[in-house]
PDB file of all heavy atoms in Angstrom:
ATOM      1  N   VAL A 112      46.044  64.841 -86.902  1.00 98.00           N
ATOM      2  CA  VAL A 112      44.734  64.281 -87.258  1.00 98.00           C
ATOM      3  C   VAL A 112      44.848  63.379 -88.487  1.00 98.00           C
ATOM      4  O   VAL A 112      44.321  62.259 -88.513  1.00 98.00           O
ATOM      5  CB  VAL A 112      43.718  65.417 -87.519  1.00 98.00           C
ATOM      6  CG1 VAL A 112      42.428  64.869 -88.109  1.00 98.00           C
ATOM      7  CG2 VAL A 112      43.436  66.163 -86.222  1.00 98.00           C
ATOM      8  N   CYS A 113      45.541  63.844 -89.511  1.00 98.00           N
ATOM      9  CA  CYS A 113      45.617  63.068 -90.760  1.00 98.00           C
ATOM     10  C   CYS A 113      46.372  61.760 -90.555  1.00 98.00           C
ATOM     11  O   CYS A 113      45.955  60.700 -91.050  1.00 98.00           O
ATOM     12  CB  CYS A 113      46.276  63.903 -91.859  1.00 98.00           C
ATOM     13  SG  CYS A 113      45.244  65.286 -92.356  1.00 98.00           S
ATOM     14  N   ILE A 114      47.474  61.812 -89.802  1.00 98.00           N
ATOM     15  CA  ILE A 114      48.254  60.593 -89.586  1.00 98.00           C
ATOM     16  C   ILE A 114      47.470  59.628 -88.691  1.00 98.00           C
ATOM     17  O   ILE A 114      47.422  58.415 -88.953  1.00 98.00           O
ATOM     18  CB  ILE A 114      49.629  60.948 -88.980  1.00 98.00           C
ATOM     19  CG1 ILE A 114      50.447  61.766 -89.990  1.00 98.00           C
ATOM     20  CG2 ILE A 114      50.387  59.689 -88.583  1.00 98.00           C
ATOM     21  CD1 ILE A 114      51.672  62.438 -89.405  1.00 98.00           C
ATOM     22  N   ALA A 115      46.821  60.153 -87.647  1.00 98.00           N
ATOM     23  CA  ALA A 115      46.053  59.280 -86.751  1.00 98.00           C
ATOM     24  C   ALA A 115      44.882  58.632 -87.492  1.00 98.00           C
ATOM     25  O   ALA A 115      44.556  57.460 -87.258  1.00 98.00           O
ATOM     26  CB  ALA A 115      45.549  60.072 -85.547  1.00 98.00           C
ATOM     27  N   ALA A 116      44.252  59.372 -88.394  1.00 98.00           N
ATOM     28  CA  ALA A 116      43.123  58.810 -89.146  1.00 98.00           C
ATOM     29  C   ALA A 116      43.596  57.670 -90.043  1.00 98.00           C
ATOM     30  O   ALA A 116      42.950  56.613 -90.137  1.00 98.00           O
ATOM     31  CB  ALA A 116      42.444  59.908 -89.970  1.00 98.00           C
ATOM     32  N   GLU A 117      44.734  57.858 -90.701  1.00 98.00           N
ATOM     33  CA  GLU A 117      45.259  56.784 -91.553  1.00 98.00           C
ATOM     34  C   GLU A 117      45.681  55.586 -90.692  1.00 98.00           C
ATOM     35  O   GLU A 117      45.450  54.435 -91.054  1.00 98.00           O
ATOM     36  CB  GLU A 117      46.447  57.286 -92.385  1.00 98.00           C
ATOM     37  CG  GLU A 117      46.938  56.218 -93.360  1.00 98.00           C
ATOM     38  CD  GLU A 117      48.156  56.651 -94.167  1.00 98.00           C
ATOM     39  OE1 GLU A 117      48.458  57.862 -94.231  1.00 98.00           O
ATOM     40  OE2 GLU A 117      48.827  55.743 -94.726  1.00 98.00           O
ATOM     41  N   TRP A 118      46.299  55.861 -89.539  1.00 98.00           N
ATOM     42  CA  TRP A 118      46.699  54.790 -88.615  1.00 98.00           C
ATOM     43  C   TRP A 118      45.467  53.956 -88.232  1.00 98.00           C
ATOM     44  O   TRP A 118      45.510  52.718 -88.237  1.00 98.00           O
ATOM     45  CB  TRP A 118      47.345  55.419 -87.378  1.00 98.00           C
ATOM     46  CG  TRP A 118      47.776  54.449 -86.326  1.00 98.00           C
ATOM     47  CD1 TRP A 118      48.993  53.854 -86.200  1.00 98.00           C
ATOM     48  CD2 TRP A 118      46.995  53.969 -85.228  1.00 98.00           C
ATOM     49  NE1 TRP A 118      49.012  53.025 -85.097  1.00 98.00           N
ATOM     50  CE2 TRP A 118      47.797  53.082 -84.480  1.00 98.00           C
ATOM     51  CE3 TRP A 118      45.682  54.207 -84.793  1.00 98.00           C
ATOM     52  CZ2 TRP A 118      47.336  52.427 -83.336  1.00 98.00           C
ATOM     53  CZ3 TRP A 118      45.223  53.554 -83.663  1.00 98.00           C
ATOM     54  CH2 TRP A 118      46.055  52.680 -82.951  1.00 98.00           C
ATOM     55  N   ALA A 119      44.352  54.629 -87.914  1.00 97.00           N
ATOM     56  CA  ALA A 119      43.138  53.903 -87.522  1.00 97.00           C
ATOM     57  C   ALA A 119      42.572  53.110 -88.697  1.00 97.00           C
ATOM     58  O   ALA A 119      42.132  51.963 -88.531  1.00 97.00           O
ATOM     59  CB  ALA A 119      42.101  54.891 -86.994  1.00 97.00           C
ATOM     60  N   ASP A 120      42.598  53.688 -89.874  1.00 97.00           N
ATOM     61  CA  ASP A 120      42.073  52.990 -91.061  1.00 97.00           C
ATOM     62  C   ASP A 120      42.873  51.732 -91.366  1.00 97.00           C
ATOM     63  O   ASP A 120      42.344  50.775 -91.936  1.00 97.00           O
ATOM     64  CB  ASP A 120      42.130  53.908 -92.292  1.00 97.00           C
ATOM     65  CG  ASP A 120      41.045  54.967 -92.263  1.00 97.00           C
ATOM     66  OD1 ASP A 120      40.111  54.828 -91.451  1.00 97.00           O
ATOM     67  OD2 ASP A 120      41.158  55.937 -93.040  1.00 97.00           O
ATOM     68  N   ARG A 121      44.157  51.739 -91.021  1.00 97.00           N
ATOM     69  CA  ARG A 121      45.035  50.629 -91.395  1.00 97.00           C
ATOM     70  C   ARG A 121      45.387  49.719 -90.204  1.00 97.00           C
ATOM     71  O   ARG A 121      46.348  48.958 -90.265  1.00 97.00           O
ATOM     72  CB  ARG A 121      46.314  51.199 -92.043  1.00 97.00           C
ATOM     73  CG  ARG A 121      45.988  52.013 -93.298  1.00 97.00           C
ATOM     74  CD  ARG A 121      47.229  52.614 -93.923  1.00 97.00           C
ATOM     75  NE  ARG A 121      48.123  51.599 -94.428  1.00 97.00           N
ATOM     76  CZ  ARG A 121      49.333  51.865 -94.980  1.00 97.00           C
ATOM     77  NH1 ARG A 121      49.735  53.122 -95.073  1.00 97.00           N
ATOM     78  NH2 ARG A 121      50.097  50.891 -95.410  1.00 97.00           N
ATOM     79  N   LEU A 122      44.571  49.813 -89.160  1.00 95.00           N
ATOM     80  CA  LEU A 122      44.870  49.060 -87.937  1.00 95.00           C
ATOM     81  C   LEU A 122      45.016  47.562 -88.209  1.00 95.00           C
ATOM     82  O   LEU A 122      45.840  46.880 -87.589  1.00 95.00           O
ATOM     83  CB  LEU A 122      43.749  49.317 -86.924  1.00 95.00           C
ATOM     84  CG  LEU A 122      44.062  49.249 -85.439  1.00 95.00           C
ATOM     85  CD1 LEU A 122      45.328  50.004 -85.090  1.00 95.00           C
ATOM     86  CD2 LEU A 122      42.883  49.775 -84.629  1.00 95.00           C
ATOM     87  N   ALA A 123      44.236  47.053 -89.159  1.00 94.00           N
ATOM     88  CA  ALA A 123      44.289  45.604 -89.449  1.00 94.00           C
ATOM     89  C   ALA A 123      45.643  45.186 -90.012  1.00 94.00           C
ATOM     90  O   ALA A 123      46.002  44.003 -89.974  1.00 94.00           O
ATOM     91  CB  ALA A 123      43.174  45.235 -90.427  1.00 94.00           C
ATOM     92  N   GLU A 124      46.408  46.141 -90.556  1.00 97.00           N
ATOM     93  CA  GLU A 124      47.716  45.802 -91.136  1.00 97.00           C
ATOM     94  C   GLU A 124      48.815  45.681 -90.085  1.00 97.00           C
ATOM     95  O   GLU A 124      49.906  45.191 -90.369  1.00 97.00           O
ATOM     96  CB  GLU A 124      48.139  46.865 -92.165  1.00 97.00           C
ATOM     97  CG  GLU A 124      47.206  46.979 -93.355  1.00 97.00           C
ATOM     98  CD  GLU A 124      47.628  48.112 -94.270  1.00 97.00           C
ATOM     99  OE1 GLU A 124      48.836  48.246 -94.557  1.00 97.00           O
ATOM    100  OE2 GLU A 124      46.749  48.903 -94.667  1.00 97.00           O
ATOM    101  N   PHE A 125      48.526  46.166 -88.849  1.00 96.00           N
ATOM    102  CA  PHE A 125      49.557  46.119 -87.807  1.00 96.00           C
ATOM    103  C   PHE A 125      49.609  44.727 -87.188  1.00 96.00           C
ATOM    104  O   PHE A 125      48.604  44.019 -87.130  1.00 96.00           O
ATOM    105  CB  PHE A 125      49.270  47.172 -86.722  1.00 96.00           C
ATOM    106  CG  PHE A 125      49.651  48.554 -87.133  1.00 96.00           C
ATOM    107  CD1 PHE A 125      48.755  49.368 -87.801  1.00 96.00           C
ATOM    108  CD2 PHE A 125      50.924  49.038 -86.869  1.00 96.00           C
ATOM    109  CE1 PHE A 125      49.102  50.643 -88.203  1.00 96.00           C
ATOM    110  CE2 PHE A 125      51.292  50.316 -87.271  1.00 96.00           C
ATOM    111  CZ  PHE A 125      50.380  51.121 -87.936  1.00 96.00           C
ATOM    112  N   PRO A 126      50.780  44.324 -86.698  1.00 95.00           N
ATOM    113  CA  PRO A 126      50.872  43.026 -86.024  1.00 95.00           C
ATOM    114  C   PRO A 126      50.294  43.129 -84.605  1.00 95.00           C
ATOM    115  O   PRO A 126      50.134  44.223 -84.070  1.00 95.00           O
ATOM    116  CB  PRO A 126      52.389  42.782 -85.959  1.00 95.00           C
ATOM    117  CG  PRO A 126      52.980  44.156 -85.880  1.00 95.00           C
ATOM    118  CD  PRO A 126      52.076  45.037 -86.721  1.00 95.00           C
ATOM    119  N   ASP A 127      50.000  41.976 -84.019  1.00 92.00           N
ATOM    120  CA  ASP A 127      49.652  41.964 -82.596  1.00 92.00           C
ATOM    121  C   ASP A 127      50.921  42.266 -81.807  1.00 92.00           C
ATOM    122  O   ASP A 127      51.973  41.665 -82.047  1.00 92.00           O
ATOM    123  CB  ASP A 127      49.091  40.598 -82.201  1.00 92.00           C
ATOM    124  CG  ASP A 127      47.720  40.372 -82.814  1.00 92.00           C
ATOM    125  OD1 ASP A 127      46.979  41.366 -82.975  1.00 92.00           O
ATOM    126  OD2 ASP A 127      47.404  39.221 -83.148  1.00 92.00           O
ATOM    127  N   LEU A 128      50.819  43.189 -80.878  1.00 94.00           N
ATOM    128  CA  LEU A 128      51.977  43.650 -80.109  1.00 94.00           C
ATOM    129  C   LEU A 128      51.735  43.396 -78.629  1.00 94.00           C
ATOM    130  O   LEU A 128      50.585  43.240 -78.204  1.00 94.00           O
ATOM    131  CB  LEU A 128      52.179  45.155 -80.356  1.00 94.00           C
ATOM    132  CG  LEU A 128      52.556  45.524 -81.793  1.00 94.00           C
ATOM    133  CD1 LEU A 128      52.353  47.017 -82.042  1.00 94.00           C
ATOM    134  CD2 LEU A 128      54.011  45.131 -82.076  1.00 94.00           C
ATOM    135  N   PRO A 129      52.792  43.356 -77.815  1.00 93.00           N
ATOM    136  CA  PRO A 129      52.581  43.211 -76.375  1.00 93.00           C
ATOM    137  C   PRO A 129      51.626  44.288 -75.862  1.00 93.00           C
ATOM    138  O   PRO A 129      51.600  45.409 -76.388  1.00 93.00           O
ATOM    139  CB  PRO A 129      53.989  43.384 -75.794  1.00 93.00           C
ATOM    140  CG  PRO A 129      54.914  42.992 -76.903  1.00 93.00           C
ATOM    141  CD  PRO A 129      54.228  43.436 -78.168  1.00 93.00           C
ATOM    142  N   ALA A 130      50.878  43.953 -74.818  1.00 88.00           N
ATOM    143  CA  ALA A 130      49.774  44.816 -74.377  1.00 88.00           C
ATOM    144  C   ALA A 130      50.223  46.229 -74.014  1.00 88.00           C
ATOM    145  O   ALA A 130      49.470  47.183 -74.177  1.00 88.00           O
ATOM    146  CB  ALA A 130      49.072  44.182 -73.183  1.00 88.00           C
ATOM    147  N   LYS A 131      51.444  46.381 -73.532  1.00 91.00           N
ATOM    148  CA  LYS A 131      51.876  47.713 -73.102  1.00 91.00           C
ATOM    149  C   LYS A 131      52.476  48.549 -74.227  1.00 91.00           C
ATOM    150  O   LYS A 131      52.770  49.721 -74.034  1.00 91.00           O
ATOM    151  CB  LYS A 131      52.892  47.589 -71.962  1.00 91.00           C
ATOM    152  CG  LYS A 131      52.270  47.042 -70.685  1.00 91.00           C
ATOM    153  CD  LYS A 131      53.281  47.022 -69.571  1.00 91.00           C
ATOM    154  CE  LYS A 131      52.646  46.430 -68.313  1.00 91.00           C
ATOM    155  NZ  LYS A 131      53.600  46.372 -67.192  1.00 91.00           N
ATOM    156  N   VAL A 132      52.690  47.950 -75.388  1.00 95.00           N
ATOM    157  CA  VAL A 132      53.295  48.689 -76.506  1.00 95.00           C
ATOM    158  C   VAL A 132      52.253  49.609 -77.137  1.00 95.00           C
ATOM    159  O   VAL A 132      51.113  49.208 -77.358  1.00 95.00           O
ATOM    160  CB  VAL A 132      53.865  47.704 -77.544  1.00 95.00           C
ATOM    161  CG1 VAL A 132      54.280  48.434 -78.816  1.00 95.00           C
ATOM    162  CG2 VAL A 132      55.055  46.959 -76.952  1.00 95.00           C
ATOM    163  N   GLY A 133      52.656  50.847 -77.402  1.00 96.00           N
ATOM    164  CA  GLY A 133      51.709  51.785 -77.995  1.00 96.00           C
ATOM    165  C   GLY A 133      52.389  52.746 -78.961  1.00 96.00           C
ATOM    166  O   GLY A 133      53.617  52.738 -79.129  1.00 96.00           O
ATOM    167  N   PHE A 134      51.562  53.571 -79.588  1.00 98.00           N
ATOM    168  CA  PHE A 134      52.006  54.532 -80.597  1.00 98.00           C
ATOM    169  C   PHE A 134      51.719  55.950 -80.077  1.00 98.00           C
ATOM    170  O   PHE A 134      50.741  56.166 -79.358  1.00 98.00           O
ATOM    171  CB  PHE A 134      51.252  54.311 -81.907  1.00 98.00           C
ATOM    172  CG  PHE A 134      51.516  52.964 -82.527  1.00 98.00           C
ATOM    173  CD1 PHE A 134      50.878  51.829 -82.045  1.00 98.00           C
ATOM    174  CD2 PHE A 134      52.409  52.834 -83.571  1.00 98.00           C
ATOM    175  CE1 PHE A 134      51.126  50.575 -82.604  1.00 98.00           C
ATOM    176  CE2 PHE A 134      52.674  51.589 -84.133  1.00 98.00           C
ATOM    177  CZ  PHE A 134      52.028  50.461 -83.649  1.00 98.00           C
TER     178      PHE A 134
END
Side-chain angles (χ1 to χ4, degrees):
V112 171
C113 292
I114 295 167
E117 185 182 343
W118 179 91
D120 285 346
R121 300 178 65 183
L122 209 46
E124 298 176 44
F125 282 89
D127 290 327
L128 295 164
K131 292 184 182 179
V132 170
F134 297 79

